[in-house]
Protein backbone atom coordinates (compact mmCIF):
# COMPACT_ATOMS: atom_id res chain seq x y z
CA UNK A 1 0.00 0.00 0.00
CA UNK A 2 2.02 2.91 -1.33
CA UNK A 3 0.83 6.38 -0.50
CA UNK A 4 -0.21 8.58 -3.41
CA UNK A 5 0.62 11.58 -1.23
CA UNK A 6 4.31 11.28 -0.29
CA UNK A 7 5.46 12.98 -3.50
CA UNK A 8 3.89 16.22 -2.29
CA UNK A 9 6.38 16.34 0.58
CA UNK A 10 10.13 16.73 0.72
CA UNK A 11 11.02 13.47 2.52
CA UNK A 12 14.33 11.69 1.80
CA UNK A 13 13.81 8.10 0.64
CA UNK A 14 15.73 6.65 3.58
CA UNK A 15 13.66 8.52 6.21
CA UNK A 16 10.48 7.15 7.79
CA UNK A 17 8.87 10.21 9.34
CA UNK A 18 6.68 8.83 12.13
CA UNK A 19 6.82 11.76 14.53
CA UNK A 20 3.89 13.86 13.33
CA UNK A 21 2.43 13.74 16.90
CA UNK A 22 5.39 15.93 17.84
CA UNK A 23 5.66 18.07 14.72
CA UNK A 24 4.10 17.55 11.31
CA UNK A 25 5.50 18.34 7.89
CA UNK A 26 4.26 20.92 5.40
CA UNK A 27 3.85 20.29 1.65
CA UNK A 28 6.49 21.43 -0.82
CA UNK A 29 3.95 23.86 -2.28
CA UNK A 30 3.57 25.51 1.15
CA UNK A 31 7.35 25.87 1.47
CA UNK A 32 7.48 27.58 -1.92
CA UNK A 33 4.57 29.86 -1.00
CA UNK A 34 6.27 30.86 2.26
CA UNK A 35 9.47 31.91 0.48
CA UNK A 36 7.62 34.13 -1.96
CA UNK A 37 5.19 35.47 0.63
CA UNK A 38 7.93 36.45 3.07
CA UNK A 39 9.88 38.28 0.37
CA UNK A 40 6.77 40.08 -0.88
CA UNK A 41 5.60 40.97 2.62
CA UNK A 42 8.76 42.87 3.46
CA UNK A 43 9.09 44.50 0.08
CA UNK A 44 8.25 48.20 0.11
CA UNK A 45 6.69 47.75 -3.32
CA UNK A 46 3.73 45.73 -1.95
CA UNK A 47 0.82 46.60 0.34
CA UNK A 48 0.64 43.23 2.12
CA UNK A 49 1.44 44.73 5.51
CA UNK A 50 -1.52 47.08 5.16
CA UNK A 51 -3.80 44.13 4.38
CA UNK A 52 -3.09 42.00 7.44
CA UNK A 53 -6.67 42.30 8.72
CA UNK A 54 -8.11 41.31 5.37
CA UNK A 55 -5.73 38.35 5.12
CA UNK A 56 -6.51 37.05 8.61
CA UNK A 57 -10.20 37.24 7.80
CA UNK A 58 -9.53 35.01 4.77
CA UNK A 59 -7.76 32.54 7.07
CA UNK A 60 -10.83 32.46 9.31
CA UNK A 61 -13.05 31.78 6.31
CA UNK A 62 -10.84 28.82 5.36
CA UNK A 63 -10.95 27.44 8.91
CA UNK A 64 -14.72 27.87 9.14
CA UNK A 65 -15.29 26.17 5.79
CA UNK A 66 -12.95 23.29 6.63
CA UNK A 67 -14.64 22.55 9.96
CA UNK A 68 -18.18 23.55 8.98
CA UNK A 69 -18.87 26.53 11.20
CA UNK A 70 -19.69 30.20 10.72
CA UNK A 71 -16.81 32.62 10.46
CA UNK A 72 -17.96 34.51 13.58
CA UNK A 73 -17.32 31.31 15.56
CA UNK A 74 -13.63 31.22 14.53
CA UNK A 75 -10.80 32.94 16.38
CA UNK A 76 -7.23 32.98 15.11
CA UNK A 77 -4.58 32.44 17.78
CA UNK A 78 -0.80 32.01 17.83
CA UNK A 79 -1.28 28.43 19.10
CA UNK A 80 -3.74 26.33 21.09
CA UNK A 81 -2.33 27.28 24.48
CA UNK A 82 -2.62 31.02 23.90
CA UNK A 83 -6.28 30.73 22.99
CA UNK A 84 -7.03 28.21 25.72
CA UNK A 85 -5.52 30.34 28.46
CA UNK A 86 -7.55 33.34 27.30
CA UNK A 87 -10.64 31.14 27.33
CA UNK A 88 -10.02 29.97 30.90
CA UNK A 89 -9.89 33.57 32.05
CA UNK A 90 -13.44 33.98 30.75
CA UNK A 91 -14.89 30.95 32.53
CA UNK A 92 -17.07 31.66 35.58
CA UNK A 93 -14.86 31.48 38.66
CA UNK A 94 -17.22 28.99 40.31
CA UNK A 95 -16.91 26.51 37.43
CA UNK A 96 -16.39 22.89 38.40
CA UNK A 97 -14.24 21.21 35.79
CA UNK A 98 -13.88 17.57 34.78
CA UNK A 99 -10.42 16.61 33.44
CA UNK A 100 -8.71 13.41 32.30
CA UNK A 101 -5.97 11.96 34.47
CA UNK A 102 -2.61 12.49 32.76
CA UNK A 103 -3.97 14.65 29.95
CA UNK A 104 -1.71 17.02 28.02
CA UNK A 105 -0.01 19.40 30.52
CA UNK A 106 -1.07 22.42 28.46
CA UNK A 107 -4.67 21.34 29.08
CA UNK A 108 -4.62 20.36 32.77
CA UNK A 109 -2.00 22.70 34.23
CA UNK A 110 -3.67 26.02 33.30
CA UNK A 111 -6.93 24.78 34.83
CA UNK A 112 -5.35 23.57 38.06
CA UNK A 113 -3.00 26.54 38.44
CA UNK A 114 -5.92 28.97 38.26
CA UNK A 115 -7.50 27.39 41.31
CA UNK A 116 -10.65 26.06 39.66
CA UNK A 117 -12.45 23.30 41.49
CA UNK A 118 -11.81 20.15 39.47
CA UNK A 119 -12.18 16.39 39.43
CA UNK A 120 -10.45 13.81 37.23
CA UNK A 121 -11.43 10.58 35.55
CA UNK A 122 -9.16 7.77 34.24
CA UNK A 123 -8.38 7.05 30.60
CA UNK A 124 -8.70 3.34 29.80
CA UNK A 125 -10.91 0.84 27.92
CA UNK A 126 -14.01 2.12 29.73
CA UNK A 127 -13.26 5.79 29.11
CA UNK A 128 -16.81 6.80 28.23
CA UNK A 129 -18.29 4.89 31.18
CA UNK A 130 -15.92 6.69 33.54
CA UNK A 131 -16.94 10.04 32.10
CA UNK A 132 -20.64 9.36 32.56
CA UNK A 133 -20.07 8.16 36.12
CA UNK A 134 -17.99 11.24 36.97
CA UNK A 135 -20.59 13.62 35.55
CA UNK A 136 -23.43 12.02 37.46
CA UNK A 137 -21.42 11.86 40.69
CA UNK A 138 -19.62 15.22 40.67
CA UNK A 139 -21.94 17.32 38.47
CA UNK A 140 -19.23 19.39 36.76
CA UNK A 141 -20.24 22.44 34.77
CA UNK A 142 -17.31 22.15 32.32
CA UNK A 143 -15.62 19.14 30.70
CA UNK A 144 -12.16 19.82 29.23
CA UNK A 145 -10.02 17.17 27.51
CA UNK A 146 -7.84 16.24 24.55
CA UNK A 147 -9.80 14.43 21.85
CA UNK A 148 -6.75 12.20 21.29
CA UNK A 149 -4.37 11.58 24.18
CA UNK A 150 -0.86 12.77 23.38
CA UNK A 151 1.00 9.85 25.00
CA UNK A 152 -1.21 6.83 24.39
CA UNK A 153 -3.10 7.90 21.29
CA UNK A 154 -6.39 6.92 22.95
CA UNK A 155 -9.24 8.68 21.19
CA UNK A 156 -12.62 9.50 22.68
CA UNK A 157 -15.74 8.24 20.90
CA UNK A 158 -17.09 11.27 19.07
CA UNK A 159 -20.63 9.90 18.91
CA UNK A 160 -20.49 9.72 22.70
CA UNK A 161 -19.79 13.47 22.81
CA UNK A 162 -22.95 14.14 20.79
CA UNK A 163 -24.95 11.95 23.16
CA UNK A 164 -23.35 13.64 26.16
CA UNK A 165 -24.39 17.06 24.89
CA UNK A 166 -27.95 15.88 24.33
CA UNK A 167 -28.13 14.44 27.85
CA UNK A 168 -26.38 17.39 29.55
CA UNK A 169 -27.04 20.42 27.32
CA UNK A 170 -25.77 22.91 29.91
CA UNK A 171 -22.40 21.13 30.30
CA UNK A 172 -19.73 23.20 28.54
CA UNK A 173 -17.68 20.73 26.47
CA UNK A 174 -14.21 21.92 25.46
CA UNK A 175 -11.82 19.82 23.36
CA UNK A 176 -8.16 20.14 22.43
CA UNK A 177 -8.10 18.95 18.84
CA UNK A 178 -4.37 19.39 18.19
CA UNK A 179 -3.73 15.62 17.95
CA UNK A 180 -6.96 14.99 16.05
CA UNK A 181 -7.94 17.69 13.58
CA UNK A 182 -6.63 16.86 10.13
CA UNK A 183 -6.87 13.10 10.63
CA UNK A 184 -10.55 12.79 9.66
CA UNK A 185 -13.50 14.91 8.60
CA UNK A 186 -14.85 16.96 11.51
CA UNK A 187 -18.08 18.97 11.45
CA UNK A 188 -17.92 21.31 14.44
CA UNK A 189 -21.51 22.47 14.03
CA UNK A 190 -22.83 18.92 14.59
CA UNK A 191 -20.14 17.67 16.99
CA UNK A 192 -21.63 18.40 20.41
CA UNK A 193 -18.56 20.43 21.35
CA UNK A 194 -18.93 24.00 22.54
CA UNK A 195 -15.26 24.80 21.99
CA UNK A 196 -12.52 23.06 20.02
CA UNK A 197 -9.05 24.53 19.78
CA UNK A 198 -5.90 23.40 18.03
CA UNK A 199 -2.40 24.30 16.98
CA UNK A 200 -1.76 23.82 13.27
CA UNK A 201 1.75 22.38 13.34
CA UNK A 202 0.92 18.70 13.66
CA UNK A 203 -1.78 17.02 11.53
CA UNK A 204 -3.01 20.18 9.77
CA UNK A 205 0.25 20.72 7.82
CA UNK A 206 0.37 24.31 9.03
CA UNK A 207 3.80 24.72 10.57
CA UNK A 208 4.44 26.71 13.74
CA UNK A 209 2.98 29.98 15.00
CA UNK A 210 -0.70 29.41 14.27
CA UNK A 211 -3.77 28.00 15.91
CA UNK A 212 -7.44 28.70 16.39
CA UNK A 213 -10.51 28.31 18.57
CA UNK A 214 -13.94 27.26 17.32
CA UNK A 215 -16.63 28.46 19.74
CA UNK A 216 -20.34 27.65 19.53
CA UNK A 217 -23.07 30.18 20.22
CA UNK A 218 -23.72 28.49 23.58
CA UNK A 219 -20.01 28.66 24.35
CA UNK A 220 -20.08 32.40 23.73
CA UNK A 221 -23.06 32.79 26.07
CA UNK A 222 -21.02 31.21 28.87
CA UNK A 223 -17.75 33.01 28.09
CA UNK A 224 -19.29 36.39 27.25
CA UNK A 225 -22.64 36.52 29.08
CA UNK A 226 -23.01 40.28 28.62
CA UNK A 227 -21.63 40.53 25.11
CA UNK A 228 -24.80 42.04 23.61
CA UNK A 229 -25.32 44.57 26.38
CA UNK A 230 -21.74 45.36 27.36
CA UNK A 231 -21.27 49.07 26.74
CA UNK A 232 -17.52 49.41 26.30
CA UNK A 233 -16.09 52.19 24.21
CA UNK A 234 -13.80 50.68 21.57
CA UNK A 235 -11.11 52.79 19.96
CA UNK A 236 -11.81 53.49 16.31
CA UNK A 237 -8.58 51.64 15.46
CA UNK A 238 -10.51 48.50 16.38
CA UNK A 239 -13.63 49.43 14.46
CA UNK A 240 -15.51 46.33 13.32
CA UNK A 241 -14.10 44.10 16.05
CA UNK A 242 -16.22 42.58 18.78
CA UNK A 243 -15.21 42.41 22.43
CA UNK A 244 -14.84 38.64 22.10
CA UNK A 245 -12.23 39.15 19.38
CA UNK A 246 -10.29 41.51 21.61
CA UNK A 247 -9.96 38.75 24.21
CA UNK A 248 -8.95 35.97 21.82
CA UNK A 249 -7.14 37.99 19.17
CA UNK A 250 -5.18 40.73 20.97
CA UNK A 251 -2.33 42.29 19.05
CA UNK A 252 -0.97 41.33 15.67
CA UNK A 253 -1.04 37.86 14.15
CA UNK A 254 1.70 36.57 11.86
CA UNK A 255 0.22 36.34 8.37
CA UNK A 256 3.06 34.08 7.20
CA UNK A 257 2.25 31.52 9.91
CA UNK A 258 -1.51 31.74 9.52
CA UNK A 259 -1.14 31.77 5.77
CA UNK A 260 0.74 28.48 6.03
CA UNK A 261 -2.18 27.02 7.97
CA UNK A 262 -4.54 28.27 5.27
CA UNK A 263 -2.38 26.61 2.62
CA UNK A 264 -2.39 23.37 4.61
CA UNK A 265 -6.18 23.36 4.86
CA UNK A 266 -6.49 24.12 1.15
CA UNK A 267 -4.08 21.29 0.37
CA UNK A 268 -6.10 18.79 2.42
CA UNK A 269 -9.33 20.07 0.84
CA UNK A 270 -7.97 19.69 -2.68
CA UNK A 271 -6.94 16.11 -1.99
CA UNK A 272 -10.19 15.45 -0.15
CA UNK A 273 -9.81 14.90 3.58
CA UNK A 274 -12.23 11.99 3.37
CA UNK A 275 -9.80 10.30 0.95
CA UNK A 276 -6.61 11.01 2.90
CA UNK A 277 -8.30 9.92 6.13
CA UNK A 278 -9.54 6.66 4.59
CA UNK A 279 -6.04 5.93 3.30
CA UNK A 280 -4.41 6.67 6.65
CA UNK A 281 -6.95 4.56 8.54
CA UNK A 282 -6.09 1.55 6.36
CA UNK A 283 -2.44 2.02 7.26
CA UNK A 284 -3.28 2.50 10.94
CA UNK A 285 -5.39 -0.66 10.97
CA UNK A 286 -2.51 -2.66 9.48
CA UNK A 287 -0.04 -1.12 11.93
CA UNK A 288 -2.29 -1.99 14.88
CA UNK A 289 -2.47 -5.61 13.73
CA UNK A 290 1.29 -5.97 13.25
CA UNK A 291 2.29 -4.14 16.41
CA UNK A 292 -0.31 -6.09 18.36
CA UNK A 293 1.15 -9.38 17.11
CA UNK A 294 4.49 -8.35 18.56
CA UNK A 295 2.82 -7.53 21.90
CA UNK A 296 4.24 -4.00 22.01
CA UNK A 297 0.93 -2.16 22.39
CA UNK A 298 -0.95 -1.63 25.63
CA UNK A 299 -4.09 -3.65 26.28
CA UNK A 300 -6.06 -0.43 26.18
CA UNK A 301 -4.79 0.38 22.67
CA UNK A 302 -5.58 -3.13 21.48
CA UNK A 303 -9.03 -3.34 23.05
CA UNK A 304 -10.36 0.14 22.22
CA UNK A 305 -12.53 0.18 19.11
CA UNK A 306 -11.62 3.83 18.60
CA UNK A 307 -8.16 4.00 17.01
CA UNK A 308 -6.32 7.24 16.39
CA UNK A 309 -3.26 7.78 14.21
CA UNK A 310 -0.94 7.58 17.25
CA UNK A 311 0.64 4.53 18.88
CA UNK A 312 2.88 4.23 21.89
CA UNK A 313 5.28 1.36 21.37
CA UNK A 314 5.83 -0.46 24.64
CA UNK A 315 9.55 -0.93 24.22
CA UNK A 316 12.35 0.34 26.42
CA UNK A 317 13.12 3.98 25.71
CA UNK A 318 16.76 2.99 25.57
CA UNK A 319 16.00 1.72 22.08
CA UNK A 320 15.05 5.20 20.89
CA UNK A 321 18.56 5.80 19.52
CA UNK A 322 18.41 2.56 17.53
CA UNK A 323 15.27 3.73 15.77
CA UNK A 324 16.66 7.21 15.12
CA UNK A 325 19.98 5.84 13.85
CA UNK A 326 17.96 3.88 11.30
CA UNK A 327 16.15 7.07 10.22
CA UNK A 328 12.86 6.21 11.90
CA UNK A 329 11.73 9.52 13.33
CA UNK A 330 9.88 9.03 16.64
CA UNK A 331 10.00 10.26 20.22
CA UNK A 332 10.02 8.85 23.79
CA UNK A 333 6.73 9.50 25.59
CA UNK A 334 5.27 7.96 28.71
CA UNK A 335 6.50 4.39 29.18
CA UNK A 336 7.42 3.83 25.56
CA UNK A 337 8.18 5.40 22.21
CA UNK A 338 5.48 7.33 20.36
CA UNK A 339 4.87 7.10 16.62
CA UNK A 340 2.14 8.33 14.31
CA UNK A 341 0.97 7.78 10.73
CA UNK A 342 -0.12 10.62 8.45
CA UNK A 343 -0.95 10.84 4.75
CA UNK A 344 2.74 11.03 3.76
CA UNK A 345 3.48 7.65 5.38
CA UNK A 346 2.99 4.29 3.70
CA UNK A 347 3.45 0.56 4.14
CA UNK A 348 7.15 0.93 3.36
CA UNK A 349 7.54 3.03 6.51
CA UNK A 350 5.67 0.42 8.55
CA UNK A 351 7.70 -2.43 7.09
CA UNK A 352 10.94 -0.65 7.90
CA UNK A 353 9.79 0.01 11.47
CA UNK A 354 8.81 -3.63 11.94
CA UNK A 355 12.09 -4.86 10.46
CA UNK A 356 14.14 -2.75 12.86
CA UNK A 357 12.01 -3.86 15.80
CA UNK A 358 12.29 -7.53 14.81
CA UNK A 359 16.02 -7.56 14.08
CA UNK A 360 17.46 -5.02 16.51
CA UNK A 361 15.03 -4.65 19.42
CA UNK A 362 13.01 -7.84 19.94
CA UNK A 363 15.71 -10.19 18.70
Amino acid sequence: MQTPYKSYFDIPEDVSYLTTPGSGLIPISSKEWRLKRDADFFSTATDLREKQGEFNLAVKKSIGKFFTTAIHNVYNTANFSTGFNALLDRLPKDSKILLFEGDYPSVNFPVISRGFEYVTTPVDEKLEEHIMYAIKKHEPTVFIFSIVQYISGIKINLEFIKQLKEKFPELLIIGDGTQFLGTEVFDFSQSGFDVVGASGYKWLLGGYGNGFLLVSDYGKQILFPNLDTQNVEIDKMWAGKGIDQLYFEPGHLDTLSHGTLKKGLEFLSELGLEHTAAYTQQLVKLAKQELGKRKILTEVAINRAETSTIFNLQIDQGHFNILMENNIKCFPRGNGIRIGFHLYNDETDLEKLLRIIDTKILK
Side-chain angles (χ1 to χ4, degrees), residues 149-166:
Q149 293 298 294
Y150 81 111
I151 291 178
S152 65
I154 292 175
K155 173 187 167 189
I156 197 166
N157 185 302
L158 294 178
E159 285 301 315
F160 170 77
I161 295 299
K162 294 180 183 179
Q163 296 165 12
L164 197 65
K165 191 61 179 177
E166 291 176 0

Side-chain angles (χ1 to χ4, degrees), residues 57-317:
L57 184 62
V59 175
K60 282 188 177 187
K61 287 181 180 178
S62 293
I63 295 170
K65 180 179 180 181
F66 195 82
F67 296 112
T68 319
T69 192
I71 189 171
H72 66 264
N73 293 333
V74 180
Y75 301 92
N76 292 336
T77 64
N79 49 54
F80 166 77
S81 296
T82 300
F84 181 58
N85 278 267
L87 179 152
L88 290 178
D89 289 337
R90 295 299 308 172
L91 282 183
K93 301 303 180 185
D94 60 351
S95 296
K96 187 175 184 179
I97 301 176
L98 176 63
L99 302 170
F100 283 157
E101 294 175 5
D103 205 340
Y104 193 47
S106 292
V107 171
N108 283 5
F109 175 77
V111 172
I112 296 169
S113 66
R114 279 171 170 75
F116 283 110
E117 182 181 1
Y118 72 95
V119 294
T120 62
T121 189
V123 178
D124 59 21
E125 291 99 326
K126 298 180 179 180
L127 174 63
E128 289 77 16
E129 291 181 33
H130 293 315
I131 294 168
M132 190 63 72
Y133 174 80
I135 291 175
K136 290 179 178 178
K137 179 180 179 180
H138 301 290
E139 298 183 339
T141 57
V142 186
F143 178 27
I144 303 176
F145 60 96
S146 297
I147 297 173
V148 172
Q149 293 298 294
Y150 81 111
I151 291 178
S152 65
I154 292 175
K155 173 187 167 189
I156 197 166
N157 185 302
L158 294 178
E159 285 301 315
F160 170 77
I161 295 299
K162 294 180 183 179
Q163 296 165 12
L164 197 65
K165 191 61 179 177
E166 291 176 0
K167 191 172 182 66
F168 304 101
E170 294 185 355
L171 177 67
L172 190 70
I173 302 177
I174 300 173
D176 174 7
T178 302
Q179 294 288 15
F180 166 70
L181 297 181
T183 65
E184 63 181 74
V185 175
F186 180 71
D187 183 339
F188 176 70
S189 67
Q190 301 298 317
S191 67
F193 284 92
D194 296 298
V195 180
V196 171
S199 293
Y201 70 95
K202 297 181 188 283
W203 306 92
L204 290 171
L205 316 178
Y208 287 93
N210 59 71
F212 53 87
L213 291 179
L214 310 176
V215 184
S216 71
D217 291 338
Y218 176 69
K220 289 184 184 181
Q221 290 176 25
I222 300 299
L223 298 172
F224 301 96
N226 303 314
L227 189 60
D228 293 334
T229 59
Q230 199 167 0
N231 186 21
V232 177
E233 184 176 348
I234 296 177
D235 191 285
K236 62 181 180 181
M237 184 181 77
W238 288 335
K241 285 193 173 186
I243 294 172
D244 51 340
Q245 285 178 269
L246 300 181
Y247 276 100
F248 290 136
E249 300 176 345
H252 290 286
L253 293 166
D254 181 10
T255 55
L256 180 67
S257 297
H258 280 83
T260 308
L261 172 61
K262 183 174 183 289
K263 295 294 290 185
L265 297 179
E266 291 171 350
F267 177 82
L268 290 170
S269 296
E270 288 168 7
L271 294 179
L273 185 58
E274 67 278 12
H275 301 307
T276 62
Y279 163 78
T280 306
Q281 281 303 311
Q282 289 182 30
L283 183 59
V284 164
K285 183 179 179 179
L286 179 60
K288 185 175 180 178
Q289 291 173 351
E290 293 298 327
L291 296 171
K293 288 178 186 177
R294 289 160 174 80
K295 302 186 185 304
I296 54 174
L297 295 179
T298 64
E299 288 298 314
V300 177
I302 293 172
N303 294 332
R304 286 279 296 176
E306 293 286 328
T307 301
S308 75
T309 51
I310 298 173
F311 295 103
N312 194 293
L313 306 181
Q314 297 301 286
I315 57 180
D316 192 292
Q317 291 187 351

